[in-house]
Amino acid sequence: MKKTVTTLADGRELIYYDSADDTVRDAVDSRPLDAVSTSSEVRRDPLLGDSVAIASHRQGRTYHPPADECPLCPSREGRLSEIPDADYDVAVFENRFPSLAGDSGRCEVVCFTSDHDVSFGGLTEDQAALVLEAWTDRTADLAELPQVTQVFCFENRGAEIGVTLGHPHGQIYGYPFVTPRTEQMLRSAETHRAGTGRNLFDDVVARELADGDRIVLEGEHWVAFVPHAAHWPYEVHLHPRRRVPDLRELDAGARTEFPQIYLELLRRFDRIFGPGEPPTPYISAWHQAPFRVPGREEFGLHLELFTIRRTTGKLKFLAGSESGMGVFINDVPPEAAAQRLREVASE
Ligand SMILES: [Zn+2]
């Protein structure tokens, strides 16, 4: 893998990750860009004690551009994009419209491939392996920034999720605090350790393996299951069998096997609702331990993949109970969801 770090015309960082070690990326961004002015501000809610990023500059961000004006495609004569080079394997750059910036953290965009018309599930295993390397390397780099406490790599896929660019891409948020869900998981792990002497993540995976009826697929190094109390209609959690706090500590076996397992999960997601349905909208979210906090070694890195579509043509909305009170109502029994995700396995 070859990593090339450069800067865009407005000073934002751009990093190429290429499979071939002898790749040269020396194209210069010649766009007349103004310096990025962000007004991102993190405010604390006094009742809930959580944080809200107020980012008014995002209202002006690129919204569903036509395919020939895609800012994530490589640049070509007369059509300059965020990627100055004429081609790339994986490219990461600082978001021009960040939700978090400066002392409030950092937002990056990850272009999974230069091919505008493919989705992550359509990548080759080698391409998916390179994305995993990029996620891992970004986690390592961002861990060095004093203003970043937690790194969140994720992909929103589908217009139903609010994706405004069709090009296959994900994002990385470097938060300046521990996010509420991670805080909850750390607290649960601590309570579980105090009560049982065991690790919570280990016990959750062991329970799923013992129950068996919510297992979606198993590899030598990874286990995927629908959790016992799934929040979403179709929700899969993917854990490495050897627990690690974050992506940096995955071993070679888990890294090698990941592309095969993850691509299979994404392909199954697109088959849940049968042929003729548009691609399944999903959110894919890496949960990693925050940096420099007590108890981080108790955290179990895992990926949560879920869709907001509950049945053909119908979305699950976060309505009164979910949005108002934080109580999810799930219409699809987790055991039925797991069975469906086994039925649609690749031949
Ligand atoms: Zn594109």
Side-chain angles (χ1 to χ4, degrees):
M1 192 268 282
K2 171 82 180 290
K3 176 183 179 185
T4 310
V5 182
T6 176
T7 46
L8 295 169
D10 55 8
R12 286 174 295 135
E13 207 167 36
L14 164 70
I15 306 128
Y16 293 102
Y17 295 91
D18 286 290
S19 309
D21 289 332
D22 57 353
T23 308
V24 177
R25 299 283 178 214
D26 54 7
V28 172
D29 182 13
S30 54
R31 295 172 297 170
L33 292 183
D34 296 333
V36 185
S37 67
T38 60
S39 49
S40 171
E41 175 194 351
V42 175
R43 295 188 187 172
R44 201 154 179 85
D45 179 306
L47 295 184
L48 293 172
D50 65 357
S51 301
V52 180
I54 312 286
S56 55
H57 59 279
R58 280 171 57 81
Q59 289 286 24
R61 69 187 187 271
T62 318
Y63 188 76
H64 296 293
D68 65 348
E69 286 175 25
C70 174
L72 310 186
C73 277
S75 287
R76 55 173 200 273
E77 201 61 42
R79 255 295 299 134
L80 302 178
S81 73
E82 291 280 58
I83 321 285
D85 223 285
D87 194 20
Y88 63 86
D89 287 348
V90 170
V92 177
F93 58 85
E94 287 181 75
N95 199 325
R96 188 159 169 77
F97 303 97
S99 312
L100 308 163
D103 293 343
S104 311
R106 174 150 156 154
C107 288
E108 299 183 339
V109 176
V110 186
C111 304
F112 299 139
T113 165
S114 59
D115 183 350
H116 184 90
D117 296 312
V118 74
S119 64
F120 200 121
L123 298 181
T124 64
E125 288 188 17
D126 285 349
Q127 287 177 303
L130 188 61
V131 175
L132 176 62
E133 285 206 58
W135 282 330
T136 306
D137 187 71
R138 297 318 303 142
T139 301
D141 277 357
L142 295 176
E144 301 298 318
L145 299 181
Q147 72 271 34
V148 172
T149 301
Q150 184 179 337
V151 172
F152 177 41
C153 306
F154 65 103
E155 180 190 2
N156 295 330
R157 193 271 193 114
E160 297 95 328
I161 305 278
V163 178
T164 52
L165 297 172
H167 197 107
H169 73 287
Q171 301 183 65
I172 299 175
Y173 277 20
Y175 293 100
F177 47 76
V178 180
T179 64
R181 295 195 71 213
T182 305
E183 208 168 82
Q184 265 176 14
M185 289 182 200
L186 286 169
R187 209 178 307 129
S188 301
E190 189 186 354
T191 307
H192 190 79
R193 172 67 74 183
T196 66
R198 294 190 307 271
N199 178 272
L200 174 62
F201 294 88
D202 290 349
D203 277 4
V204 165
V205 175
R207 176 193 173 169
E208 292 299 342
L209 286 168
D211 283 1
D213 52 356
R214 288 176 303 276
I215 296 288
V216 172
L217 71 90
E218 284 190 65
E220 194 187 334
H221 299 277
W222 295 89
V223 181
F225 55 86
V226 180
H228 180 249
H231 289 58
W232 298 94
Y234 293 89
E235 171 177 343
V236 172
H237 292 195
L238 176 62
H239 287 248
R241 287 185 192 265
R242 189 183 70 88
R243 175 173 48 85
V244 292
D246 64 43
L247 286 165
R248 296 173 296 178
E249 298 189 46
L250 283 176
D251 57 26
R255 285 183 188 286
T256 306
E257 192 183 58
F258 174 79
Q260 176 202 333
I261 300 274
Y262 185 51
L263 291 173
E264 170 64 10
L265 283 179
L266 293 181
R267 289 164 191 171
R268 289 190 196 185
F269 255 58
D270 272 345
R271 297 187 202 116
I272 293 173
F273 304 100
E277 270 293 287
T280 302
Y282 65 74
I283 291 171
S284 177
W286 277 111
H287 287 255
Q288 308 201 75
F291 312 118
R292 306 176 293 271
V293 302
R296 78 177 303 274
E297 292 301 319
E298 284 287 309
F299 195 87
L301 164 80
H302 65 283
L303 182 138
E304 297 189 6
L305 171 67
F306 58 91
T307 180
I308 57 166
R309 187 181 287 163
R310 57 186 171 85
T311 185
T312 308
K314 291 199 177 75
L315 299 181
K316 161 78 185 167
F317 287 104
L318 298 189
S321 187
E322 291 86 358
S323 298
M325 285 290 120
V327 179
F328 273 68
I329 317 287
N330 183 358
D331 299 337
V332 182
E335 293 72 24
Q339 191 187 336
R340 180 62 185 154
L341 284 160
R342 290 192 298 267
E343 281 168 11
V344 294
S346 301
E347 297 292 315

